[in-house]
PDB file of all heavy atoms in Angstrom:
ATOM      1  N   MET A 136      97.732  32.840  75.802  1.00 96.00           N
ATOM      2  CA  MET A 136      98.251  31.513  75.303  1.00 96.00           C
ATOM      3  C   MET A 136      99.305  30.994  76.244  1.00 96.00           C
ATOM      4  O   MET A 136     100.156  31.859  76.675  1.00 96.00           O
ATOM      5  CB  MET A 136      98.731  31.661  73.836  1.00 96.00           C
ATOM      6  CG  MET A 136      97.750  32.071  72.874  1.00 96.00           C
ATOM      7  SD  MET A 136      96.785  30.667  72.308  1.00 96.00           S
ATOM      8  CE  MET A 136      97.835  29.776  71.331  1.00 96.00           C
ATOM      9  N   GLN A 139      93.231  28.381  76.740  1.00 96.00           N
ATOM     10  CA  GLN A 139      92.271  28.302  75.725  1.00 96.00           C
ATOM     11  C   GLN A 139      91.310  29.479  75.713  1.00 96.00           C
ATOM     12  O   GLN A 139      90.118  29.379  75.275  1.00 96.00           O
ATOM     13  CB  GLN A 139      91.546  26.910  75.837  1.00 96.00           C
ATOM     14  CG  GLN A 139      92.493  25.810  75.504  1.00 96.00           C
ATOM     15  CD  GLN A 139      93.052  25.808  74.151  1.00 96.00           C
ATOM     16  OE1 GLN A 139      92.389  25.916  73.148  1.00 96.00           O
ATOM     17  NE2 GLN A 139      94.431  25.642  73.989  1.00 96.00           N
ATOM     18  N   PHE A 141      91.020  32.243  74.096  1.00 98.00           N
ATOM     19  CA  PHE A 141      90.724  32.725  72.767  1.00 98.00           C
ATOM     20  C   PHE A 141      89.452  31.937  72.365  1.00 98.00           C
ATOM     21  O   PHE A 141      88.452  32.450  71.771  1.00 98.00           O
ATOM     22  CB  PHE A 141      91.802  32.752  71.820  1.00 98.00           C
ATOM     23  CG  PHE A 141      91.463  33.360  70.473  1.00 98.00           C
ATOM     24  CD1 PHE A 141      91.647  34.746  70.272  1.00 98.00           C
ATOM     25  CD2 PHE A 141      90.999  32.618  69.414  1.00 98.00           C
ATOM     26  CE1 PHE A 141      91.436  35.417  69.126  1.00 98.00           C
ATOM     27  CE2 PHE A 141      90.719  33.240  68.197  1.00 98.00           C
ATOM     28  CZ  PHE A 141      90.878  34.620  67.980  1.00 98.00           C
ATOM     29  N   SER A 142      89.627  30.538  72.326  1.00 97.00           N
ATOM     30  CA  SER A 142      88.555  29.683  71.793  1.00 97.00           C
ATOM     31  C   SER A 142      87.266  29.878  72.592  1.00 97.00           C
ATOM     32  O   SER A 142      86.075  29.898  72.018  1.00 97.00           O
ATOM     33  CB  SER A 142      88.967  28.222  71.895  1.00 97.00           C
ATOM     34  OG  SER A 142      90.058  28.086  71.052  1.00 97.00           O
ATOM     35  N   LEU A 164      95.744  34.544  63.270  1.00 98.00           N
ATOM     36  CA  LEU A 164      96.828  34.778  64.217  1.00 98.00           C
ATOM     37  C   LEU A 164      96.784  33.636  65.258  1.00 98.00           C
ATOM     38  O   LEU A 164      97.755  33.070  65.633  1.00 98.00           O
ATOM     39  CB  LEU A 164      96.844  36.145  64.828  1.00 98.00           C
ATOM     40  CG  LEU A 164      97.171  37.232  63.976  1.00 98.00           C
ATOM     41  CD1 LEU A 164      96.997  38.582  64.678  1.00 98.00           C
ATOM     42  CD2 LEU A 164      98.617  37.149  63.411  1.00 98.00           C
ATOM     43  N   SER A 165      95.595  33.301  65.722  1.00 98.00           N
ATOM     44  CA  SER A 165      95.459  32.371  66.845  1.00 98.00           C
ATOM     45  C   SER A 165      95.905  30.977  66.275  1.00 98.00           C
ATOM     46  O   SER A 165      96.600  30.224  66.925  1.00 98.00           O
ATOM     47  CB  SER A 165      94.000  32.227  67.230  1.00 98.00           C
ATOM     48  OG  SER A 165      93.683  31.160  68.041  1.00 98.00           O
ATOM     49  N   HIS A 166      95.550  30.654  65.043  1.00 98.00           N
ATOM     50  CA  HIS A 166      95.873  29.434  64.458  1.00 98.00           C
ATOM     51  C   HIS A 166      97.465  29.327  64.341  1.00 98.00           C
ATOM     52  O   HIS A 166      98.016  28.264  64.530  1.00 98.00           O
ATOM     53  CB  HIS A 166      95.243  29.308  63.025  1.00 98.00           C
ATOM     54  CG  HIS A 166      95.655  28.004  62.242  1.00 98.00           C
ATOM     55  ND1 HIS A 166      95.305  26.768  62.727  1.00 98.00           N
ATOM     56  CD2 HIS A 166      96.383  27.910  61.082  1.00 98.00           C
ATOM     57  CE1 HIS A 166      95.817  25.816  61.887  1.00 98.00           C
ATOM     58  NE2 HIS A 166      96.495  26.553  60.959  1.00 98.00           N
ATOM     59  N   TYR A 167      98.045  30.428  63.860  1.00 98.00           N
ATOM     60  CA  TYR A 167      99.536  30.424  63.789  1.00 98.00           C
ATOM     61  C   TYR A 167     100.170  30.141  65.186  1.00 98.00           C
ATOM     62  O   TYR A 167     101.137  29.341  65.190  1.00 98.00           O
ATOM     63  CB  TYR A 167     100.095  31.711  63.230  1.00 98.00           C
ATOM     64  CG  TYR A 167      99.805  31.896  61.772  1.00 98.00           C
ATOM     65  CD1 TYR A 167      99.676  33.202  61.221  1.00 98.00           C
ATOM     66  CD2 TYR A 167      99.764  30.809  60.896  1.00 98.00           C
ATOM     67  CE1 TYR A 167      99.449  33.372  59.788  1.00 98.00           C
ATOM     68  CE2 TYR A 167      99.549  30.904  59.459  1.00 98.00           C
ATOM     69  CZ  TYR A 167      99.283  32.222  58.967  1.00 98.00           C
ATOM     70  OH  TYR A 167      99.144  32.455  57.635  1.00 98.00           O
ATOM     71  N   LEU A 168      99.617  30.663  66.213  1.00 97.00           N
ATOM     72  CA  LEU A 168     100.203  30.440  67.463  1.00 97.00           C
ATOM     73  C   LEU A 168     100.070  28.998  67.987  1.00 97.00           C
ATOM     74  O   LEU A 168     100.978  28.403  68.528  1.00 97.00           O
ATOM     75  CB  LEU A 168      99.616  31.517  68.458  1.00 97.00           C
ATOM     76  CG  LEU A 168     100.011  32.857  68.369  1.00 97.00           C
ATOM     77  CD1 LEU A 168      99.297  33.786  69.361  1.00 97.00           C
ATOM     78  CD2 LEU A 168     101.493  33.128  68.467  1.00 97.00           C
ATOM     79  N   GLU A 169      98.815  28.584  67.775  1.00 96.00           N
ATOM     80  CA  GLU A 169      98.513  27.184  68.180  1.00 96.00           C
ATOM     81  C   GLU A 169      99.366  26.171  67.440  1.00 96.00           C
ATOM     82  O   GLU A 169      99.657  25.086  68.104  1.00 96.00           O
ATOM     83  CB  GLU A 169      97.073  26.839  67.948  1.00 96.00           C
ATOM     84  CG  GLU A 169      96.125  27.614  68.785  1.00 96.00           C
ATOM     85  CD  GLU A 169      94.578  27.337  68.430  1.00 96.00           C
ATOM     86  OE1 GLU A 169      94.372  26.737  67.384  1.00 96.00           O
ATOM     87  OE2 GLU A 169      93.712  27.732  69.201  1.00 96.00           O
ATOM     88  N   THR A 170      99.762  26.415  66.240  1.00 96.00           N
ATOM     89  CA  THR A 170     100.639  25.555  65.515  1.00 96.00           C
ATOM     90  C   THR A 170     102.101  25.886  65.565  1.00 96.00           C
ATOM     91  O   THR A 170     102.872  25.286  64.774  1.00 96.00           O
ATOM     92  CB  THR A 170     100.155  25.403  63.977  1.00 96.00           C
ATOM     93  OG1 THR A 170     100.106  26.761  63.451  1.00 96.00           O
ATOM     94  CG2 THR A 170      98.737  24.701  63.944  1.00 96.00           C
ATOM     95  N   ALA A 171     102.494  26.866  66.374  1.00 96.00           N
ATOM     96  CA  ALA A 171     103.849  27.308  66.484  1.00 96.00           C
ATOM     97  C   ALA A 171     104.412  27.752  65.171  1.00 96.00           C
ATOM     98  O   ALA A 171     105.694  27.520  65.005  1.00 96.00           O
ATOM     99  CB  ALA A 171     104.657  26.177  67.183  1.00 96.00           C
ATOM    100  N   ARG A 172     103.649  28.372  64.402  1.00 97.00           N
ATOM    101  CA  ARG A 172     104.150  28.923  63.102  1.00 97.00           C
ATOM    102  C   ARG A 172     104.425  30.449  63.328  1.00 97.00           C
ATOM    103  O   ARG A 172     103.820  31.333  62.946  1.00 97.00           O
ATOM    104  CB  ARG A 172     103.165  28.736  61.973  1.00 97.00           C
ATOM    105  CG  ARG A 172     103.123  27.313  61.689  1.00 97.00           C
ATOM    106  CD  ARG A 172     101.702  26.973  60.972  1.00 97.00           C
ATOM    107  NE  ARG A 172     101.641  27.575  59.610  1.00 97.00           N
ATOM    108  CZ  ARG A 172     100.584  27.508  58.808  1.00 97.00           C
ATOM    109  NH1 ARG A 172      99.474  26.907  59.197  1.00 97.00           N
ATOM    110  NH2 ARG A 172     100.610  28.051  57.600  1.00 97.00           N
ATOM    111  N   TYR A 200     105.017  33.476  75.205  1.00 97.00           N
ATOM    112  CA  TYR A 200     104.471  32.230  74.828  1.00 97.00           C
ATOM    113  C   TYR A 200     105.390  31.487  73.882  1.00 97.00           C
ATOM    114  O   TYR A 200     105.452  30.226  73.988  1.00 97.00           O
ATOM    115  CB  TYR A 200     103.075  32.468  74.094  1.00 97.00           C
ATOM    116  CG  TYR A 200     102.566  31.198  73.408  1.00 97.00           C
ATOM    117  CD1 TYR A 200     102.071  30.186  74.056  1.00 97.00           C
ATOM    118  CD2 TYR A 200     102.570  31.260  71.925  1.00 97.00           C
ATOM    119  CE1 TYR A 200     101.651  28.986  73.489  1.00 97.00           C
ATOM    120  CE2 TYR A 200     102.041  30.204  71.217  1.00 97.00           C
ATOM    121  CZ  TYR A 200     101.546  29.054  71.998  1.00 97.00           C
ATOM    122  OH  TYR A 200     101.086  27.946  71.327  1.00 97.00           O
TER     123      TYR A 200
END
Side-chain angles (χ1 to χ4, degrees):
M136 294 282 287
Q139 295 299 306
F141 186 88
S142 297
L164 290 174
S165 170
H166 176 68
Y167 285 152
L168 290 178
E169 288 175 351
T170 54
R172 294 160 67 184
Y200 168 67

